[in-house]
Structures are given as structure tokens and as C-alpha cells.
Amino acid sequence: MRLPFKAKIGVYRGMRNSSRRNTSTTIRHKSGIAAIAVLLFFAFASESLAQRSVNESSELFESVRTADLRLATIGWRLASTNARLCDRQEPGTGLQIHTLDQFDSTNRPAAQAHFGFATPVAIEGVVPSSPAAQAGLRADDSLVRVGTVDMAALDGKPGTTQRLVAAQLAIAALPLDAPIEVEAIRAGAPVHVTVQPVPVCKSRFELRLADDFNASADGTMVQISARFLDDYPEEQFAAAVAHEFSHNILHHRDRLEARGVTWGLLSGFGANVKYFRQTEIQADLLSVYLLANAGYSPRAPIAFWRKFGPSGGPSIFRSRSHPQWRDRIATLEAEVAKLETISARPAIPALIAERSQPLSGDWQSLLIRSR
């Protein structure tokens, strides 16, 4: 049975673990297709991929690989073209890695057979034209060593992303622009290549396998639900990623913690409101520049809000901690007009210089009210 990707994520999400996240933005919306995906999830949750046909399992694995690489490619494009805006950088390779540990014990054999894991960490995909692609690395190459990082020496507990995160952080800690010697295994044969990384903004990008609208940034990672891939065009999906990425670039998590804010439902009450609104508007404003620098339309966030705003349903976007969507559009329109007067790329907005300062809570001066 061929499943749409929305249904496939319902089947897959219980079989691969995601990294722990701290939510900065959450959107929830149900549709008929979403309900079908939930039903499919419960229908197949007790069925291992080993019990499914090889073709069905392969189709499921490849659909998620494709989706992961779409996000990785957008993340790479944003992180590499905006490196000058980031005071926290890492050596960019363009590798999208995954680990066998991420899969639950029931489905781990099917994942190992499909992806050909010869080591605990392998390449799920390679961003086109990236340093890793130019060096000749390929999807399903099993990694032995990346620079000084010995993959087998990394701690990892089955059923978790512990080894994945350890690998990502260790590679990110390598020198920014020094050549990286990579040892891998391809179809049983050793592969040795040299990757010449480029400086990129320090941030991980992770696809959350769930049929809802959730997006978050915790200072080191951007996580976004797969539902965005189905319901929004590429540039509008990139706009959602750029908004969350902006939170990381502006150190919003650290600055909110320094203000002692309360998270969750209480974020829309008391003194919390002004700080959260300030960070949300700042992230909207910076996203315009990140997108333009990466070659996307800076108007993509406007198109996103025109579609999502009227149909988003109950969400934190409608809570007191977030500005009203029509006001966000008016504010974005004004910022795009400013950007259009700047010819230099990368364009660097003034708020970048403010990220080392404590949050003031002055969101009113940033927001333009809709008429």
C-alpha cells in the first residue's frame, strides 16, 4: 500500500527517536489528512518494519530520508550564506548523519539492512554542492572517523539520539577551516577522502516526525515538524526554519533565561509577555535578512502568515506571548521595504549588534500595527 508522506510519518515516528527539544514556537492544527495519519499510526504502531514487505519498508525509509535532506539543504543554505551574521560558527561539511541507535529495537534490523550501517554512525544524505559532496562522500557511507572524531568511541544508548548528538557536537568542535580527513566504509570497502569545510552558523537542524505544526529553537538546534513540508511551498517552509534559526543567532534562549522568564503556558502572563514578544518580533525581522542572503524571497514570511494566519487554529501564536498575525505581516512588510534599499549581501541588520545586550522588553517600538 502506497502511503502519502503525511501518513508515512505517522508510521515512522514511533520507530525513530528525536532529540530533546525546548519549544519556542508551537502550532497545532488538525485536518482530515492529519486524522488519517493518526489512525494509520495506531494501526501500524505494533507492526515492525520487518513484518512489512521490503518494498514498503524501503519506501518508508526513503521518504523520510528525502524529507530529512530537504530540511538539511535549507539549513545549509541559511547557515552558510549567513555565516558573517553569526558569532558562533562551526566547520560546515554538508553531511546529514544518522545513527542506528535512533531506531527502536524492533525495527533496528530493518534499518540496518536498508541503510547498510557498517558502523554506528552513517551518512543519511549529502547536501548537493557542499564540501562533503565535492569530496565524493555519499549517502549510506558508514563513518569510521571524521577528523579526530572516532565514531565507535562515542557513547550511545540504544533507542536514543545520544550518539547522534555526540557525533554532531564533536564534528562541530573541529577547526573551522582546516581540512577534515574522513574514513568511511562503502559497500564493505574502505573510503578515505579529505573534506575542506567552510564556516557556517552553529546550529543543528532536525525534522520532527509528527503530523502537526510544531517548531522550536533551543539555542543550539532548530526542530520543525514534517507537516510543514507537505502544507507549505519550499520558500514558506524555509521562512519557518529561518524564524526559528533567528532565535539561535540572536541568543534568545540565553537572554530569556537571564531574564528569569517562565516557559510554557505561563509565558503569556505577567512580565514574561514583553520579553517573549520582543524575541518573536526580532526573529521575524532577522528572518527577512537570512532569507534574502540565502537567495530566497524575503517576502516568503509574509506569504506564510497570509496562509497560516487565518487558518492556524488555537496555538501559542494566538497567545499573549506572540503578536497578532496581521501585525506581524505589517511589520514584515516594512522590514522588507528597508531591505530593498540595501544592495550589499550579506545584508546585516542593526539588531545583530544588540544580541549581547539584555532583553529590554520593548516590543512596542518594533511592531507595526495593521490597518
Side-chain angles (χ1 to χ4, degrees), residues 126-187:
V126 180
V127 174
S129 302
S130 67
Q134 293 171 14
L137 290 171
R138 302 176 189 172
D140 294 336
D141 285 350
S142 295
L143 295 171
V144 177
R145 185 180 297 274
V146 177
T148 59
V149 184
D150 181 354
M151 296 298 160
L154 298 173
D155 290 333
K157 182 180 179 181
T160 73
T161 59
Q162 182 179 353
R163 195 190 309 268
L164 172 66
V165 174
Q168 292 172 329
L169 294 179
I171 294 172
L174 293 172
L176 273 182
D177 52 9
I180 300 174
E181 300 298 324
V182 178
E183 299 176 30
I185 298 174
R186 179 182 299 161

Side-chain angles (χ1 to χ4, degrees), residues 71 74-75 78 205 222 224 236-246:
L71 174 58
I74 289 171
L78 291 169
F205 297 87
V222 168
I224 188 165
Q236 292 179 36
F237 176 65
V241 175
H243 173 90
E244 298 302 332
F245 190 29
S246 294

Side-chain angles (χ1 to χ4, degrees), residues 170-251:
I171 294 172
L174 293 172
L176 273 182
D177 52 9
I180 300 174
E181 300 298 324
V182 178
E183 299 176 30
I185 298 174
R186 179 182 299 161
V191 174
H192 300 267
V193 303
T194 301
V195 176
Q196 181 59 58
V198 297
V200 299
C201 299
K202 191 171 188 176
S203 188
R204 296 182 290 126
F205 297 87
E206 181 178 277
L207 192 68
R208 179 174 178 270
L209 298 178
D211 192 54
D212 57 21
F213 289 117
N214 281 276
S216 67
D218 65 2
T220 63
M221 180 179 70
V222 168
Q223 188 183 74
I224 188 165
S225 292
R227 180 68 180 272
F228 283 101
L229 280 171
D230 281 326
D231 284 30
Y232 289 86
E234 193 82 0
E235 284 204 332
Q236 292 179 36
F237 176 65
V241 175
H243 173 90
E244 298 302 332
F245 190 29
S246 294
H247 284 304
N248 287 350
I249 292 175
L250 295 172
H251 306 170

Side-chain angles (χ1 to χ4, degrees), residues 31-52:
S31 67
I33 297 177
I36 291 172
V38 172
L39 289 174
L40 283 168
F41 169 66
F42 285 110
F44 292 114
S46 60
E47 179 184 14
S48 74
L49 290 177
Q51 294 172 305
R52 298 167 69 84

Side-chain angles (χ1 to χ4, degrees), residues 24-25 277 280 316-324 328:
S24 63
T25 301
R277 285 194 176 186
E280 286 303 315
I316 197 169
F317 266 155
R318 299 187 187 282
S319 78
R320 296 180 67 247
S321 65
H322 288 58
Q324 204 272 346
R328 297 180 86 156

